[in-house]
Amino acid sequence: MREVLEGSHAVSEAVRLAKVQVMSAYPITPQTHIVEALSEFCAEGKMDARFICVESEHSAMAAVIGAACGGVRTFTASSSQGLALMHELLHWASAGRLPIVMAEVNRALGPGWNIWMDQTDSLAQRDTGWIQLYCEDAQEVLDTTLQAYKLAESINLPVMVVLDAFFLSHTYEPVDIPAQEAVDRFLPPLNPRIRLDTSTPFALYSMAPPAVYMEMRHDIQKAMELVPEHFDRLEHEFENIFGRRYGALDTFFCEDAEIIMVMAGTAASTCRQVVSGLRAKGEKIGLIKLKMFRPFPKKLFRKLLGNTKKVAVVDRNFSFGASGIFAQEIRAAMYNHSSRPPVFGYIAGLGGRDLTPELLEEIYYMTKNTDEPEKESIWAGLKGGFEK
């Protein structure tokens, strides 16, 4: 069934189709529409689920952690300061090996107070042990949410489905809503590996002394290393049922590209338009859309970037005192590779500022006409133009 849906409601429909049993969230713009719709589904009997109202995002994550320990399928959502408030419990979810799925709507962190698009909130949580998947459009949001449950439950790690504030969360577009029967074939009921049960009692989250703590963290990393293989397999299964797949990295005109641009989220759609226009002028440009950020797809980047001359990474985020985070990760991934093209890092579109086709084209030509990066990060689209 094809409907015109708001990006936020694409998440809500996926959660309904996944037959989630317990949800908890605290409203924060621009995430609110997701959980408003889910609370209505519960109230109207469209979902056989429990919606737990709480007083903060910290409590929302605590509630779904408790429910996941009980062996049920769970969901929550957050943004910006709300996600930051969850930080402590994100570690508890991953270290507890709980298959929680959360929708994270990228929003700038204050101050100054800003409710618009910025990836720094989710990327600030990159070391918490959560799988992170970034989405470009509403269809990908719905599909990735369904895939996230299959992935989380096969690996026993939580998954963050990330989408842009307003550009995606509050924009309407046609979305194919799959039939419940098809979703049930792809995503069977949860068969939890970890479940508190009074008939077979055991303890969770007890003291972990030096003799065991390091092995526990090693196990999380080993699970993360399995994610690419599991993700590829479930995408193949998803494609067989629904006819769509996305890939950890999505490429566009990369086969013979001399300069490849890299970005995530809705900006990739704009960049495709730019790449098509420049290709028509004879420019050898390509695009990589980054979908999977954690675990970082190092092997794929080495394969795709090994033969290109330059890489231009557009980050809608920044790690103060370092550089744009995507560019930083790509440099690290390529460091020990035999072929290391120079990585040009650009910071643009923070706080909801538009990433226009004109700006992306300027970034391309600046990269083309410069032999080596003069800085780790060049700020693009400032009021005065490019950073001097």
Side-chain angles (χ1 to χ4, degrees):
M1 180 175 62
R2 201 161 180 81
E3 289 189 13
V4 176
L5 281 185
E6 186 184 74
S8 292
H9 293 162
V11 179
S12 310
E13 288 292 337
V15 172
R16 177 185 65 81
L17 289 165
K19 295 182 177 177
V20 168
Q21 297 156 287
V22 174
M23 299 166 283
S24 184
Y26 187 81
I28 180 171
T29 302
Q31 163 273 117
T32 310
H33 289 186
I34 297 172
V35 293
E36 281 180 344
L38 289 170
S39 66
E40 290 172 5
F41 290 163
C42 291
E44 295 166 2
K46 293 180 179 178
M47 290 185 71
D48 182 15
R50 173 86 179 270
F51 192 100
I52 304 173
C53 296
V54 290
E55 74 284 357
S56 74
E57 290 85 358
H58 188 280
S59 297
M61 183 53 64
V64 294
I65 286 174
C69 288
V72 299
R73 191 169 282 164
T74 61
F75 175 79
T76 188
S78 194
S79 297
S80 186
Q81 257 78 9
L83 182 66
L85 185 58
M86 286 182 177
H87 177 76
E88 174 199 359
L89 289 176
L90 298 184
H91 289 277
W92 285 79
S94 61
R97 304 299 300 275
L98 300 175
I100 296 165
V101 172
M102 171 166 58
E104 207 295 300
V105 186
N106 276 146
R107 168 189 153 181
L109 290 155
W113 205 243
N114 181 299
I115 61 172
W116 291 276
M117 164 62 191
D118 192 308
Q119 295 162 334
T120 307
D121 60 342
S122 59
L123 294 173
Q125 311 303 324
R126 62 189 181 274
D127 300 328
T128 56
W130 282 62
I131 299 164
Q132 289 195 10
L133 303 173
Y134 288 72
C135 299
E136 180 180 353
D137 56 38
Q139 186 68 64
E140 187 173 357
V141 164
L142 188 150
D143 295 346
T144 302
T145 303
L146 293 174
Q147 293 173 342
Y149 281 102
K150 186 101 169 181
L151 183 60
E153 291 164 12
S154 65
I155 295 290
N156 269 93
L157 282 177
V159 179
M160 197 179 293
V161 178
V162 188
L163 57 151
D164 291 2
F166 297 103
F167 294 117
L168 182 46
S169 66
H170 286 57
T171 300
Y172 284 78
E173 56 186 297
V175 177
D176 178 26
I177 304 175
Q180 185 66 65
E181 296 78 13
V183 174
D184 291 345
R185 289 203 311 274
F186 174 73
L187 184 65
L190 173 62
N191 182 22
R193 195 179 85 188
I194 299 167
R195 181 175 186 173
L196 290 171
D197 188 344
T198 55
S199 63
T200 55
F202 64 92
L204 286 174
Y205 299 118
S206 55
M207 178 68 75
V212 298
Y213 183 89
M214 192 166 174
E215 281 70 21
M216 291 169 64
R217 288 316 189 256
H218 182 248
D219 286 344
I220 294 173
Q221 174 57 21
K222 297 301 287 184
M224 274 286 187
E225 290 171 0
L226 295 174
V227 169
E229 177 186 342
H230 280 253
F231 184 71
D232 186 64
R233 186 164 60 244
L234 74 84
E235 275 220 310
H236 180 72
E237 184 181 345
F238 191 90
E239 184 180 28
N240 286 340
I241 298 173
F242 304 105
R244 297 182 294 273
R245 70 178 297 145
Y246 301 94
L249 300 177
D250 181 42
T251 61
F252 187 66
F253 282 112
C254 286
E255 293 80 6
D256 64 341
E258 294 181 354
I259 297 176
I260 292 179
M261 299 184 73
V262 182
M263 61 197 67
T266 57
S269 295
T270 307
C271 197
R272 280 194 183 86
Q273 175 187 338
V274 172
V275 169
S276 296
L278 290 171
R279 278 275 171 174
K281 297 176 183 178
E283 300 291 335
K284 290 191 174 182
I285 177 176
L287 166 68
I288 294 175
K289 183 191 79 173
L290 189 155
K291 178 181 180 69
M292 182 183 289
F293 176 71
R294 279 292 181 269
F296 196 72
K298 296 186 289 291
K299 291 182 180 178
L300 282 175
F301 268 117
R302 288 168 184 164
K303 180 180 178 181
L304 292 168
L305 299 180
N307 295 319
T308 195
K309 292 183 178 179
K310 297 176 183 177
V311 182
V313 184
V314 181
D315 274 299
R316 297 186 95 160
N317 59 76
F318 196 69
S319 177
F320 296 105
S323 68
I325 294 166
F326 293 155
Q328 191 177 38
E329 296 269 348
I330 291 169
R331 290 187 189 104
M334 300 301 293
Y335 185 78
N336 288 325
H337 195 264
S338 57
S339 175
R340 293 198 305 271
V343 176
F344 291 73
Y346 297 91
I347 308 302
L350 302 188
R353 188 165 295 187
D354 281 344
L355 274 176
T356 64
E358 294 77 16
L359 180 61
L360 293 176
E361 193 167 313
E362 284 186 74
I363 287 171
Y364 167 74
Y365 280 114
M366 176 175 281
T367 305
K368 180 182 178 181
N369 297 327
T370 308
D371 292 333
E372 296 287 339
E374 296 177 1
K375 299 180 178 181
E376 283 200 329
S377 296
I378 298 170
W379 290 63
L382 296 170
K383 287 183 179 179
F386 282 77
E387 179 185 25
K388 303 299 182 184

